Amino acid sequence: MPLKLVFATNNRHKLEEVSHKIGDHFELLTLNDIGCMEDIEEPGSTFEENAAIKSKYIYDKYHLNCFGDDSGLVVDALNGEPGVYSARYAGEHGNHAANIKKVLTRLEGVENRKARFVTVISLMWEGKEHVFKGVVEGTIRHKISGIGGFGYDPIFQPDGYDITFAEMSMDEKNKISHRARALEKLISFLKNIK
Ligand code: IMP
């Protein structure tokens, strides 16, 4: 019998990426699958806090092993912004064009373009929290480039490449992305549990 594991998301795209890698050791359930219709708020000031809020909420309320994630872009010259506000940096949740514009405007004339994408996954397993972090370092371009991906991808150039995330194929991005790196750590932990 596969072990039940909740991924505290209703994002199909994220779910598919994880299901694909996790194999059939686990029966992966979404928030919808367990009848959780609440919108879990993300009031934390760090990725770690936000990821833990989700996993602990589900574990405490439903008594199911569970993991939650939180990701974002961290720009050195902006003192770590947009950070936990990545999805709503320009005000409206998920307005990627406005978010990009705000970053580019704030970086006008700024030489230090260093930035990184970060994903933190918090897993609540049998009542104990385990944290997995994935990071990809890079720089912020002066202009958008590419049409793939989502979010800040058109302005983020990972170190060691001369193209942005938005110019990469999904497979290529998924090999080096912050999310993929955090997921790899989660999955190797889970494989050792079984
Ligand atoms: P989430 O926590 O994975 O939902 O990510 C929050 C926000 O961070 C997204 O809405 C995007 O603005 C940004 N973000 C996270 N991951 C990526 C990525 O892989 N590419 C571009 N933007 C991202």
Side-chain angles (χ1 to χ4, degrees):
M1 271 269 287
L3 295 175
K4 282 191 190 333
L5 179 63
V6 181
F7 184 5
T9 187
N10 279 320
N11 180 325
R12 284 276 135 209
H13 177 79
K14 285 187 185 177
L15 188 81
E16 267 169 36
E17 194 179 338
V18 182
S19 321
H20 181 69
K21 290 185 172 151
I22 220 165
D24 19 279
H25 295 305
F26 295 90
E27 181 189 348
L28 206 58
L29 304 168
T30 63
L31 293 177
N32 272 336
D33 294 335
I34 60 167
C36 174
M37 299 305 165
E38 298 98 288
D39 208 7
I40 307 169
E41 301 258 327
E42 299 184 356
S45 57
T46 62
F47 300 119
E48 282 80 358
E49 274 178 64
N50 282 337
I53 286 168
K54 294 183 231 180
S55 65
K56 288 180 179 165
Y57 180 87
I58 300 301
Y59 189 82
D60 290 345
K61 187 159 179 193
Y62 297 88
H63 309 292
L64 289 167
N65 290 320
C66 171
F67 65 94
D69 70 330
D70 195 34
S71 308
L73 178 69
V74 174
V75 180
D76 283 351
L78 301 178
N79 297 318
E81 287 185 12
V84 289
Y85 304 105
S86 289
R88 53 195 148 113
Y89 194 42
E92 186 196 343
H93 190 99
N95 187 340
H96 299 314
N99 290 339
I100 285 180
K101 193 164 171 225
K102 184 165 176 184
V103 169
L104 290 182
T105 305
R106 295 216 161 166
L107 286 179
E108 261 170 35
V110 176
E111 248 179 61
N112 177 7
R113 318 286 298 187
K114 275 192 76 54
R116 65 205 53 81
F117 273 123
V118 178
T119 292
V120 173
I121 294 175
S122 161
L123 169 72
M124 282 299 289
W125 187 267
E126 310 293 352
K128 189 172 182 304
E129 191 198 12
H130 303 267
V131 180
F132 309 94
K133 188 169 186 172
V135 178
V136 56
E137 299 284 343
T139 50
I140 302 296
R141 288 273 194 93
H142 290 267
K143 283 193 255 167
I144 59 167
S145 198
I147 54 164
F150 73 104
Y152 299 91
D153 282 349
I155 54 168
F156 184 81
Q157 178 175 308
D159 285 352
Y161 292 78
D162 59 4
I163 55 174
T164 66
F165 262 178
E167 293 173 297
M168 288 184 171
S169 67
M170 202 159 61
D171 275 359
E172 208 175 352
K173 179 185 165 188
N174 282 343
K175 274 186 203 139
I176 61 162
S177 81
H178 46 309
R179 210 178 335 276
R181 286 176 177 167
L183 268 177
E184 268 163 34
K185 293 181 187 174
L186 169 75
I187 285 162
S188 66
F189 177 87
L190 290 172
K191 284 191 173 154
N192 284 323
I193 279 178
K194 276 228 82 182

